[in-house]
Amino acid sequence: MAQFDGKTYDCPFDCFIAVLKGKWRTDLLLALAARPRHFRELQRILPGISAKVLTENLRILERNNLVERREQDDPSGMVEYRLSPEGEQLIQVMEQINHWVGRWLA
């Protein structure tokens, strides 16, 4: 059995789908795959996402150890988000699936 965000899944693939479920989650993960980013930067590169939805998705991903939140040690108090090692592994799986789909559709 697998767990994500407090729910238990009998099928690991169903859990994988739950991780990616939602309008913004894959875009958010891919944005963080490029490099760590600040909240406002994520808002700029994901046009149309509200601050509330972005915060909710970041919290879900952080709570499930896919994203890490780091506060800057300077007076600005800015927060940086980056993929955790588990999040980086997820990106590799997503890239493999994208590659498979590209071959399948060709």
Side-chain angles (χ1 to χ4, degrees):
M1 287 202 268
Q3 285 193 340
F4 176 73
D5 207 35
K7 296 178 185 170
T8 302
Y9 299 86
D10 292 329
C11 174
F13 195 77
D14 288 342
C15 183
F16 171 76
I17 296 300
V19 171
L20 301 180
K21 190 176 179 181
K23 180 177 179 181
W24 297 103
R25 212 162 292 156
T26 55
D27 290 338
L28 178 54
L29 287 165
L30 291 171
L32 293 173
R35 64 183 173 82
R37 299 185 188 268
H38 296 115
F39 187 88
R40 295 258 185 240
E41 185 179 8
L42 288 167
Q43 280 188 300
R44 276 195 307 274
I45 63 175
L46 299 172
I49 193 169
S50 69
K52 178 185 178 205
V53 170
L54 178 55
T55 299
E56 288 171 357
N57 278 283
L58 286 167
R59 285 184 180 159
I60 289 169
L61 294 171
E62 182 184 5
R63 185 170 54 235
N64 290 280
N65 301 316
L66 296 170
V67 167
E68 296 173 347
R69 180 183 189 273
R70 295 192 180 163
E71 293 185 27
Q72 304 275 316
D73 288 336
D74 60 32
S76 72
M78 292 185 76
V79 175
E80 180 181 81
Y81 295 92
R82 65 177 60 231
L83 291 178
S84 68
E86 292 83 4
E88 290 173 1
Q89 290 175 354
L90 174 60
I91 292 297
Q92 291 174 1
V93 171
M94 291 168 59
E95 289 171 347
Q96 291 172 352
I97 291 171
N98 284 343
H99 182 70
W100 177 84
V101 170
R103 285 192 333 251
W104 177 60
L105 292 176

